């Protein structure tokens, strides 16, 4: 791939409004932006979406920084990489750290597409020119105000963050403002087997789905709940690899899967999960991690694959940022966002904003 240098930046992005889940409050989004430079002046961009604190996965921006600097990039330098689909196997000797791996792997996919002068959508076999967008409402959001704003834009699905025991109250109040737009809630793994009856009693709410009610390593109780309810059961944190997706399908533990590039380690694993799901006729959707426009571009491209049949967490840039670090922020129109068609991820990075928001950085020479 003719790599010359990889630059890793820690970028601080202040959210327009704090984002609250049952697991934590995010006010400032620290993320890692990875630039892969080749000898001919092409630059591929990726984003490592780990949070500053380990409330979603064990990874953090600090652990990812160290993994990239001291393990992954030295391994990459010693390896002969002709195509980004080789990166997953190259890093297979390192256990875990999917988000760090994904950060560099997605940058290399962007670089590869730019070297070919093709859109990344075309390279990975995307089918859709625009994808349906859903939106996430945090526990700190003014439900009435936010519902009014987002229904105007035509968002196709609302995801609610809820407190255990207050789901019905929150959902019924949301329905007053949202109307017939599908509603789901995210359990964030906060329920146990003792909550099985409670969850079954929410079946009459006719939800679009319940996402990740039980802990991330629990296929069994997800399977048990799926048998007992009509509501679609979705897995998120449980699926960190293609083998996890295989188990979820074979054990009938879910009716759909939320695929996040960072959580599964990048495009190659996501493509393998997509192929499993296609054979099993299981719908997928793309989850979000409060990404900048770089990570959002990658998500939208992933969601252009055929089996991503459900609206993803693909809200427009201004949902979270006053100013994004890409020049033309993503917009939602009639509940859809256009898939970039220019070379690579199809967005131009705003260099000044990126530099202004860079907290620290290092460069890693890939040539001897």
């Amino acid at each position: 791939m003719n790599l010359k240098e990889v630059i890793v930046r820690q970028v601080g992005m202040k959210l327009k409004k704090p984002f609250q889940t049952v697991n934590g409050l995010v006010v400032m989004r620290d993320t890692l932006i990875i630039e892969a430079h080749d000898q001919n002046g092409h630059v591929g961009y990726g984003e490592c979406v780990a949070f500053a604190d380990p409330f979603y996965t064990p990874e953090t921006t600090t652990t990812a920084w160290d993994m990239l600097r001291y393990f992954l990039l030295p391994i990459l330098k010693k390896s002969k990489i002709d195509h980004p689909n080789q990166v997953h196997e190259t890093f297979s000797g390192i256990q875990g750290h999917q988000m760090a791996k994904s950060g560099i792997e997605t940058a290399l996919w962007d670089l590869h597409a730019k070297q070919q002068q093709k859109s990344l959508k075309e390279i990975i076999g995307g089918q859709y020119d625009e994808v349906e967008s859903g939106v996430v409402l945090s526990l700190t959001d003014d439900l009435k105000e936010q519902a009014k704003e987002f229904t105007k834009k035509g968002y196709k699905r609302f995801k609610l963050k809820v407190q255990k025991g207050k789901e019905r109250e929150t959902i019924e109040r949301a329905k007053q403002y949202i109307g017939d737009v599908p509603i789901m809630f995210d359990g964030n793994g906060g329920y146990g087997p003792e909550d099985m009856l409670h969850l079954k009693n929410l079946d009459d709410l006719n939800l679009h789905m319940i996402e990740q009610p039980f802990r991330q390593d629990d296929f069994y109780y997800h399977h048990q709940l799926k048998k007992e309810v009509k509501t679609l059961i979705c897995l998120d944190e449980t699926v960190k690899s293609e083998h996890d997706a295989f188990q979820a399908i074979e054990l009938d533990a879910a009716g759909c899967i939320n695929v996040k590039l960072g959580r599964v380690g990048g495009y190659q694993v996501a493509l393998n999960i997509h192929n499993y799901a296609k054979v099993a006729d299981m719908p997928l959707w793309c989850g979000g991690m409060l990404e900048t426009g770089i990570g959002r571009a990658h998500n939208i491209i992933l969601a252009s694959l055929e089996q991503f049949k459900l609206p993803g967490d693909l809200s427009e840039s201004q949902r979270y940022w006053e100013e994004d670090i890409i020049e033309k922020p993503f917009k939602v129109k009639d509940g859809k966002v256009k898939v970039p068609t220019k070379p690579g991820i199809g967005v131009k990075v705003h260099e000044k904003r990126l530099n202004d928001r860079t907290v620290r950085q290092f460069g890693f020479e890939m040539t001897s």
Side-chain angles (χ1 to χ4, degrees), residues 162-169 185 191-205 210 225 229:
V162 298
Q163 291 179 306
K164 188 160 69 171
K166 296 184 178 180
E167 304 92 345
R168 183 177 294 274
E169 172 189 330
F185 78 82
Y191 297 82
E194 69 278 6
D195 300 308
M196 186 71 72
L197 180 60
H198 172 63
L199 291 168
K200 286 166 62 176
N201 287 337
L202 299 176
D203 211 27
D204 66 312
L205 290 169
I210 299 174
L225 181 61
V229 298

Side-chain angles (χ1 to χ4, degrees), residues 263-297:
R263 196 189 67 243
V264 303
Y267 277 105
Q268 192 56 50
V269 177
L271 287 165
N272 292 342
I273 291 172
H274 173 267
N275 293 338
Y276 278 139
K278 187 174 179 181
V279 171
D281 196 27
M282 175 180 281
L284 304 175
W285 58 280
C286 180
M289 292 282 287
L290 303 179
E291 293 92 348
T292 70
I294 291 170
R296 197 167 304 276

Side-chain angles (χ1 to χ4, degrees), residues 115-170:
Q115 290 172 336
Q116 305 301 311
Q117 283 297 298
K118 294 180 179 180
S119 70
L120 187 50
K121 171 199 165 185
E122 180 183 355
I123 292 285
I124 69 168
Q127 300 293 307
Y128 307 125
D129 296 327
E130 54 185 8
V131 292
E132 291 190 334
S133 180
V135 67
V136 187
L137 300 185
S138 91
L139 291 171
T140 56
D141 283 326
D142 181 313
L143 196 55
K144 183 176 181 179
E145 176 188 333
Q146 294 295 298
K148 182 178 180 181
E149 175 184 347
F150 296 132
T151 50
K152 280 184 179 178
K153 292 187 176 292
Y155 279 96
K156 302 297 185 182
R157 183 267 293 146
F158 283 75
K159 180 163 82 172
L160 306 179
K161 299 292 186 178
V162 298
Q163 291 179 306
K164 188 160 69 171
K166 296 184 178 180
E167 304 92 345
R168 183 177 294 274
E169 172 189 330
T170 302

Side-chain angles (χ1 to χ4, degrees), residues 228-251:
E228 298 291 333
V229 298
K230 295 179 294 183
T231 304
L232 197 63
I233 302 301
C234 175
L235 291 181
D236 178 7
E237 292 96 326
T238 297
V239 179
K240 300 182 286 294
S241 67
E242 57 197 85
H243 184 66
D244 288 338
F246 172 77
Q247 289 191 93
I249 291 169
E250 292 300 311
L251 296 174

Side-chain angles (χ1 to χ4, degrees), residues 20 35 43 81 84 97-98 101 111 114 124-125 127 140 142 153 218 221-222 239 257 285 324 327 350-351 359:
Q20 177 75 61
E35 304 174 11
V43 183
I81 299 294
H97 300 281
Q98 283 93 334
K101 293 175 180 177
L111 176 63
K114 287 171 177 171
I124 69 168
Q127 300 293 307
T140 56
D142 181 313
K153 292 187 176 292
D218 198 331
Y221 282 112
H222 284 108
V239 179
I257 295 174
W285 58 280
D324 206 340
E327 292 196 352
H350 195 294
E351 295 291 344
V359 177

